[in-house]
Amino acid sequence: MAEVKVKAQPPDADPVEIENRIIELCHQFPHGITDQVIQNEMPHIEAQQRAMAINRLLSMGQLDLLRSNTGLLYRIKESQNTGKMKGSDNQEKLVYQIIEDAGNKGIWSRDIRYKSNLPLTEINKILKNLESKKLIKAVKSVAASKKKVYMLYNLQPDRSVTGGAWYSDQDFESEFVEVLNQQCFKFLQSKAETARESKQNPMIQRNSSFASSHEVWKYICELGISKVELSMEDIETILNTLIYDGKVEMTIIAAKEGTVGSVDGHMKLYRAVSPIIQPTGLVRAPCGLCPVFDDCHEGGEISPSNCVYMTEWLEF
Amino acid sequence: MTQAEIKLCSLLLQEHFGEIVDKIGTHLIRTGSQPLRAIVHGTGTSLDQVKKALCVLIQHNLVTYQIHKRGIVEYEAHCSRILRILRYPRYIYTAKTLYSDTGELIVEELLLNGKMTMSAVVKKVADRLTETMEDGKTMDYAEVSSTFCRLADTHFVQRCPLVPDPPESAEAQPPPPAPTLSINEKDMYLVPKLNLIGKGKRRRSSDDDAAGEPRPKRPKQTAESKEPMPDDGIYWQANLDRFHQHFRDQSIVNAVANRMDQTSSEIVRTMLRMSEITTSSGAPFTQPLSSNEIFRSLPVGYNISKQVLDQYLTLLADDPLEFVGKSGDSGGGMYVINLHKALASLAMATLESIVQERFGSRCARIFRLVLRKKHLEQKQVEDFAMIPAKEAKDMLYKLLSENLISLQEIPKTPDHAPSRTFYLYTVNSLSAARMLLRRCYKSIANLIERRQFETRENKRLLEKSQRVEAILASMQATGAEEAQLQEIEEMITAPERQQLESLKRNVNKLDASEIQVDETIFVLESYAESTMKRS
């Protein structure tokens, strides 16, 4: 019976058998098998038959063809994918592959075209198809509003695409920013007030009127006016806009690593301040705010003698 | 001299000195320095009138003369000095706050007359003060003189340059075509030793006065005017630079008070007062002052301890405003006031305030952002200011069209292709300040014109009311009855009275507005001057 054993594999001309064997092998080596491995397993099968079997498996979508530095690899495809891909053809699978690789940043349709070398019309058809099958979705980029990037349906788009906490559905949330702006300012103002009323020696007074960015962040989180989770950097950008409004000033002090709220060994402190001058004299006259200032001269259509703005202003 | 400045000078000269002076003055501003003949030829007025007009202008320090080569005397008008006429009310008010009514009247007389001798000033001021006082009281010359001396000591008034004494040599040199005036630095504030004895006199010699008092004084007055005053030839003028220094100090102190608290502003005021005489007006920093000196010079009412003072000084030196800096540690810490930085901050705050009032607070945010960060791309502006892209673009272009912000191109490729160039927004503070200065000049010119227009419109009414007042006064003097007075008063109807009231109110409002715009001019001009001097 050893003879029978030696002659273990009768030449299996049956292609289905070959395919099944290959699939078993793939299951054994989930990372993929090279052509060499198949050859070793089934030495008696001719190269042509092997190739045919592999092609059949590929076209049925049960096998994945990958390229590695040693050569070609064949890998078993996940079973649920084979269910999805039923009815799709090669091109769609290719496009799907490319989109999957782009991860959560998404990929633009022109880039898909470059990678797959397919004509534009084909790409569009395929994308529409995939979208209707709910496999991919289009996400509008916040940077260029006409650009659409595609990504897998169940992925969360990345921050750079949606713009982070300030954007919701590609719309810049101005009211949200305004509300946060006012809340931060009120917090800093009340802190300065209490510090001023404490009337202790000036050093303590000034130091207690400062609030670190961490404190402000905690206060805003506790207020709970934001549905989105806000980080300390977000709060710092809001505080920066207050600085550009001239209502707040900032100093940076060196802080020990480990104190709460310190970043890289320093902390940012903010303080509410009042402007250093009253509104200046020019804007108290109507000429300072006049929109037709350059057209105004004596004897013309618009002149100081018949200026409507001056007449109104004089009647106050 | 920009068009706006020339127009404003012309309006001021016309209002204060009349048509002819206005013509001559404007001609001189436009054409620079000119000899007498050229002025006569250029303006087409007679030689006599030109001479008189030049006399008026020189008396008020608005025109100076110089001897050029070949012995030709050329006259030059100073546009900036003419614009100071707008600021006279502010100077007078400052003198009033510092030296009360006496000081106010002294400065007023000096400004209105250009140059005066001390004795003339004292006499006039005493007379004016006596009139406002109650019956029977008079103003003593000594008091007025002492106020005058104090004004001279604090450099608010100074001596005018004199003709130097001719050399003792016996050679009879022909007199030069025009005297060269010079004055020694230390003589500038030297008050001559005068023995002014007397009291102010009332102008009206009505019978209600104490009998006998006016009469013996009158012959004495005429006798006095015949003797030459001992200080003849020593003329005094108001020192405008000193007043400007005072205004600058005031705005710095106010800024510190707004940013920090009252005590810090008092400390800064003390420091500025101590450096009044020692620092020249154009210097970027004051002289270093030690903390001990400051402690000794604090005003009497402030009893804060030395440590508290030190703490305040440290806080001032560390403040982001950077008005006060620490320059050393001797004497308990040497502190200087950074005048250039203070002026720059005030000017920038003025610019920001103008942008805010004209365009809104979001534009102001963008303006402050670009001011602080110096150069920014469009995308960066949107990100930092947290303003939606479309609105931010709109606002930037509006500021660009008003020339408050400018674009700086940085090409990536030698062919400057627009898609491959960086466009950075930046604020050029000096040019923005100058542009707004021009706008201020034009605004004041507009306000003056409107005021003149309003007065012209209601001229008829004003003349009528003046006539009625004259009639009333004369009738009261001759003792008319109540009924007759009532009748005369009713000549002005109620709506006319209302019109007069509103006219008065409007004219006052326009006047006040001129002074307010002048404050802006002061800040921007000081900043421009200080920056030019530094660079």
Side-chain angles (χ1 to χ4, degrees), chain A residues 166 172 174 177-178 181 201-203 206 238 241 244-246 249 271 273-285 287-290 293-294 296 298 304-305 307 310-311 313-314 316, chain B residues 255 258-259 308 311-312 315 319-321 345-346 349-350 353-354 357-358 362 365 368-369 373 384-388 439-440 442-443 446-447 449-450 453-454 505-506 509-510 513 516-517 520:
Chain A
W166 310 123
F172 184 71
S174 327
V177 169
E178 273 302 308
N181 198 316
N201 80 56
M203 273 300 201
R206 188 173 121 111
I238 295 278
T241 63
Y244 304 134
D245 274 335
E249 69 179 13
R271 185 167 77 112
V273 291
S274 47
I276 60 174
I277 58 165
Q278 306 293 321
T280 184
L282 176 62
V283 297
R284 297 206 200 140
C287 296
L289 310 173
C290 178
F293 186 72
D294 294 318
C296 167
E298 196 53 35
S305 322
C307 176
M310 281 224 198
T311 320
W313 174 69
L314 285 173
F316 265 135
Chain B
N258 280 337
R259 185 48 68 97
V308 177
Q311 280 181 343
Y312 269 114
L315 279 178
D319 198 75
L321 265 186
S345 309
L346 287 167
T350 312
S353 146
I354 292 178
E357 297 293 326
R358 266 175 85 180
R362 291 176 129 196
R365 197 193 282 183
R368 281 196 196 97
L369 169 64
K373 299 257 180 188
F384 279 124
M386 309 224 78
I387 295 182
R439 195 175 168 120
C440 289
K442 189 166 175 199
S443 305
N446 286 349
L447 288 167
E449 278 192 14
R450 178 64 183 230
F453 170 75
E454 295 271 328
R505 212 186 46 229
N506 290 348
K509 205 178 210 178
L510 288 162
S513 178
Q516 282 169 349
V517 182
T520 314

Side-chain angles (χ1 to χ4, degrees), chain B residues 169-183:
Chain B
S169 65
E171 287 180 38
Q173 288 174 1
T180 24
L181 304 172
S182 65
I183 180 145

Side-chain angles (χ1 to χ4, degrees), chain A residues 187-210:
Chain A
F187 173 67
L188 286 171
Q189 225 178 1
S190 59
K191 197 138 199 261
E193 272 294 320
T194 44
R196 213 175 316 153
E197 264 146 39
S198 64
K199 292 240 178 301
Q200 295 167 325
N201 80 56
M203 273 300 201
I204 300 187
Q205 209 172 30
R206 188 173 121 111
N207 286 343
S208 62
S209 66
F210 274 116

